[in-house]
Amino acid sequence: VQLQASGGGLVQAGGSLRLSCAASGRTFRGSIMGWFRQVPGQEREFVAAISWTGSSTYYVDSVKGRFTISRDNAKSTIYLQMNSLKPEETAVYYCAAKEPWLTNLQATSVRAYNYWGPGTQVTVSS
């Protein structure tokens, strides 16, 4: 079971990046999936989540209107389009998935997710 995030990199403040997270080794049929981020020395922070069908999404307030989460179940991949990035959003970004019977999109704690990828670094320069 693997979740592999990609698409991170260095971008100037105000710029955009699109992260991808591909699932392999199993399907996450029915699963809510999400994105988190973590700065060294700080707790991992929820960013966004998406339902299995993609019809429902949920964001932390600080990214609403700038970030968009989406998914392509045929490709077992989720995405995070990040626009108007800020230097304080520099972090390692992780994708995660829940067991399919966990259906609360607004359960956003780290413990609410069961599967994690290794993360991708996003650096926003000022």
Side-chain angles (χ1 to χ4, degrees), residues 2-87:
Q2 283 190 317
L3 293 171
Q4 183 62 57
S6 61
L10 174 64
V11 64
Q12 288 188 333
S16 298
L17 280 176
R18 188 193 195 206
L19 305 184
S20 300
C21 175
S24 62
R26 62 160 285 174
T27 64
F28 288 93
R29 183 174 182 80
S31 293
I32 290 169
M33 296 187 71
W35 288 97
F36 287 72
R37 61 190 177 192
Q38 188 170 23
V39 175
Q42 297 185 18
E43 293 186 354
R44 195 166 295 187
E45 174 193 31
F46 169 79
V47 176
I50 188 166
S51 63
W52 161 249
T53 63
S55 60
S56 297
T57 57
Y58 189 69
Y59 299 91
V60 67
D61 285 346
S62 61
V63 308
K64 287 180 180 177
R66 298 186 298 116
F67 289 16
T68 303
I69 188 171
S70 60
R71 68 191 297 165
D72 183 342
N73 291 331
K75 296 181 178 179
S76 297
T77 300
I78 66 168
Y79 306 95
L80 185 68
Q81 177 67 44
M82 305 186 294
N83 299 329
S84 301
L85 281 159
K86 304 174 182 180

